[in-house]
Amino acid sequence: MAKDTKERILETALQMFSQNGYAGTNVRELTASLGLVKSSMYKHFESKEAIWNALLDKMIAYYDERFGSSEHLPPVPDSLEGLVQMTMGMVNFTIHDEKIIMTRKVLAIEQYRDERARGLATKHFLTGLTDMFTPVLAGMMDKGLLRRDDPRMLAFAYTAPISALIHLCDREPEKTEDAIAQVEAFSRHFVKVYGKGDQEQRQS
Amino acid sequence: MAKDTKERILETALQMFSQNGYAGTNVRELTASLGLVKSSMYKHFESKEAIWNALLDKMIAYYDERFGSSEHLPPVPDSLEGLVQMTMGMVNFTIHDEKIIMTRKVLAIEQYRDERARGLATKHFLTGLTDMFTPVLAGMMDKGLLRRDDPRMLAFAYTAPISALIHLCDREPEKTEDAIAQVEAFSRHFVKVYGKGDQEQRQS
DNA sequence: TATTATAGTGAACGAAAGGTCACTTGTCAA
DNA sequence: TTGACAAGTGACCTTTCGTTCACTATAATA
């Protein structure tokens, strides 16, 4: 039963770091919320900083596994509406997955003092979504769904506003509904501007 | 000579909070970097938290004064190139002004635990630029420079990617040159997509 | 000149921080 | 049954934190 204490410490650390930051979290509170006393923590980690490093390792590994490989690229939609739907699905996932929310928060907090956090923050907040959508939009151009243009520029123009709205949900969760509506409105605006018309691809 | 100590404390606090956060900053370091001992701070602020609150007051007041009133709206450019140039000017300013950089950083760090910081963060990171560019783009539509469309949606689509690149400069200053080039490339992409052609407006 | 307010000092304080250690408990293999 | 080990405990340590306070120096005011 107590075998996964190390894991539970990391979970709680992510939770607390994402709310109050590394410096604003103390190990007594952290272990207490697990029903332990602080000295118990040192059976699993040699220091508070070791928790932080292990947590970063995990976040980096999770990111690479989940978003790093080209196998996890989303499929190229068969219609403009398909792009909208795929986008909404991804956004709905990422703004409701507690672990990913907390990861973004902790990266936002620690990005200026920790180099590894900084690197991962850039992936989460900027390059990650762009990299993911670049081949998607390129594929849609190949299918004649989107105007030919620099796919990377289009992916950036598409994902950066969405990323901003995801941030808004992290910061002010009570605005989540509005933000989702805005994402959809923006996505539809995007396909209206860059799309080449949906009708000729409508099949089944 | 020592009359502005209170002001200097706030300056140094902004600097340190923006690097290590509120919890990661201690008053001994803070006052030492001003050539004072820590107890001197309490002649000017009644607590460490009072510094934080005063700093937030200042940041909010500065934002309202600088970006809040409609008098400070940028003029509507007379050409698409004018929009690009105005954008580059604003971006160049905002990514080189140390005080504004540090303000953004501290808001990014503290946005999840402090409600006032959260509100100001949303302005800085999302609504501020959009609000500023909405009338600009609307004006350009009136002048026939841009395709007619929802000006607020266009402003959002225009400013969110730029905002993301500003963030990148805050996070990884060594990428500033690249980021500036990306801003310009994106701005030109934007006017190419939404513009109605520059030639008929070319005068003097 | 005498007074008073202001800014700064250094010693001290209590609380809270991260961390250590001897010890107990429970589990499992030999 | 015994031995070994991992996990957890509570007391304790050192350091650092924010904060207080009696005191000094200085400059303006009466």
Side-chain angles (χ1 to χ4, degrees):
Chain A
M1 149 168 33
K3 185 58 187 60
D4 53 343
T5 299
K6 188 166 185 169
E7 208 57 36
R8 289 168 62 223
I9 290 175
L10 285 175
E11 281 170 27
T12 306
L14 174 59
Q15 192 179 306
M16 296 192 151
F17 291 171
S18 71
Q19 186 60 34
N20 300 109
Y22 173 82
T25 302
N26 64 62
V27 311
R28 196 185 132 269
E29 262 189 274
L30 201 162
T31 51
S33 92
L34 293 171
L36 297 177
V37 83
K38 65 172 175 172
S39 61
S40 305
M41 186 271 279
Y42 293 90
K43 295 292 175 183
H44 304 277
F45 295 94
E46 66 176 3
S47 67
K48 181 189 174 188
E49 222 194 330
I51 299 181
W52 169 247
N53 286 322
L55 187 61
L56 251 177
D57 288 343
K58 239 185 117 183
M59 294 193 298
I60 291 172
Y62 181 78
Y63 187 90
D64 287 344
E65 175 212 329
R66 175 101 202 195
F67 307 108
S69 79
S70 49
E71 300 149 22
H72 289 79
L73 280 178
V76 178
D78 285 323
S79 66
L80 296 177
E81 178 65 21
L83 177 66
V84 175
Q85 293 306 321
M86 185 195 86
T87 302
M88 295 314 294
M90 288 186 50
V91 168
N92 260 299
F93 167 75
T94 207
I95 65 176
H96 289 113
D97 185 294
E98 274 301 322
K99 199 169 151 188
I100 298 184
I101 293 173
M102 292 189 295
T103 300
R104 280 193 300 264
K105 285 186 180 181
V106 79
L107 291 175
I109 294 172
E110 306 296 343
Q111 60 184 329
Y112 303 115
R113 61 157 200 95
D114 186 291
E115 200 173 332
R116 295 165 75 208
R118 180 168 18 215
L120 190 56
T122 294
K123 288 186 185 177
H124 265 269
F125 300 151
L126 189 67
T127 61
L129 273 180
T130 304
D131 290 346
M132 175 177 289
F133 274 84
T134 298
V136 170
L137 299 187
M140 291 181 73
M141 290 177 200
D142 292 342
K143 290 187 182 178
L145 292 167
L146 290 179
R147 281 207 251 157
R148 267 252 158 255
D149 207 325
D150 173 16
R152 185 157 185 88
M153 176 63 79
L154 242 65
F156 173 60
Y158 186 54
T159 59
I162 292 169
S163 190
L165 290 168
I166 292 170
H167 273 98
L168 175 64
C169 294
D170 293 342
R171 190 188 309 121
E172 307 187 62
E174 72 274 14
K175 296 186 179 170
T176 297
E177 269 189 61
D178 285 348
I180 292 176
Q182 272 191 72
V183 169
E184 182 160 351
F186 171 74
S187 183
R188 295 197 184 283
H189 169 86
F190 181 86
V191 302
K192 188 188 72 191
V193 170
Y194 293 95
K196 286 176 75 174
D198 213 0
Q199 57 282 9
E200 62 266 26
Q201 266 75 25
R202 281 183 176 269
Q203 88 276 29
S204 97
Chain B
M1 148 166 37
K3 187 56 185 62
D4 52 344
T5 300
K6 188 165 186 170
E7 206 57 37
R8 290 168 63 223
I9 290 175
L10 285 175
E11 281 171 26
T12 306
L14 174 59
Q15 191 179 307
M16 296 191 152
F17 291 170
S18 71
Q19 186 61 33
N20 301 109
Y22 173 82
T25 302
N26 63 61
V27 311
R28 196 185 132 268
E29 264 188 272
L30 201 163
T31 50
S33 93
L34 293 171
L36 297 176
V37 301
K38 59 178 173 170
S39 62
S40 304
M41 186 272 279
Y42 293 88
K43 295 292 175 182
H44 304 277
F45 295 94
E46 69 177 0
S47 67
K48 182 188 174 188
E49 222 193 333
I51 299 181
W52 169 247
N53 286 322
L55 187 59
L56 251 177
D57 288 342
K58 239 186 117 182
M59 295 192 299
I60 292 173
Y62 181 77
Y63 186 91
D64 287 345
E65 175 212 327
R66 174 100 204 198
F67 307 109
S69 78
S70 50
E71 300 149 22
H72 289 79
L73 282 178
V76 178
D78 285 322
S79 66
L80 297 176
E81 178 64 22
L83 177 66
V84 176
Q85 292 307 323
M86 186 197 85
T87 302
M88 297 313 295
M90 288 187 51
V91 168
N92 261 298
F93 168 75
T94 206
I95 65 177
H96 288 113
D97 185 295
E98 274 302 321
K99 199 170 153 187
I100 298 183
I101 293 173
M102 293 188 295
T103 299
R104 282 194 301 263
K105 285 187 180 181
V106 80
L107 291 175
I109 293 173
E110 306 296 343
Q111 61 185 329
Y112 303 115
R113 61 157 199 95
D114 186 289
E115 200 173 332
R116 295 165 76 210
R118 184 169 14 217
L120 190 55
T122 294
K123 289 186 184 176
H124 265 270
F125 300 152
L126 189 66
T127 60
L129 272 179
T130 304
D131 290 345
M132 175 176 292
F133 273 84
T134 298
V136 170
L137 299 186
M140 290 180 74
M141 290 176 200
D142 292 341
K143 289 189 183 180
L145 292 167
L146 290 179
R147 280 207 252 158
R148 262 242 166 263
D149 207 326
D150 174 14
R152 185 159 185 87
M153 177 62 80
L154 244 63
F156 174 59
Y158 186 55
T159 57
I162 292 170
S163 190
L165 292 169
I166 292 170
H167 273 98
L168 175 63
C169 294
D170 292 343
R171 190 187 308 119
E172 308 187 60
E174 72 274 15
K175 295 186 180 170
T176 297
E177 269 188 62
D178 285 349
I180 292 177
Q182 273 191 73
V183 170
E184 182 161 350
F186 171 75
S187 183
R188 294 196 186 284
H189 169 87
F190 181 86
V191 301
K192 190 187 71 191
V193 170
Y194 292 95
K196 286 177 76 173
D198 213 358
Q199 57 281 7
E200 61 265 26
Q201 266 74 26
R202 280 185 176 267
Q203 87 278 29
S204 94

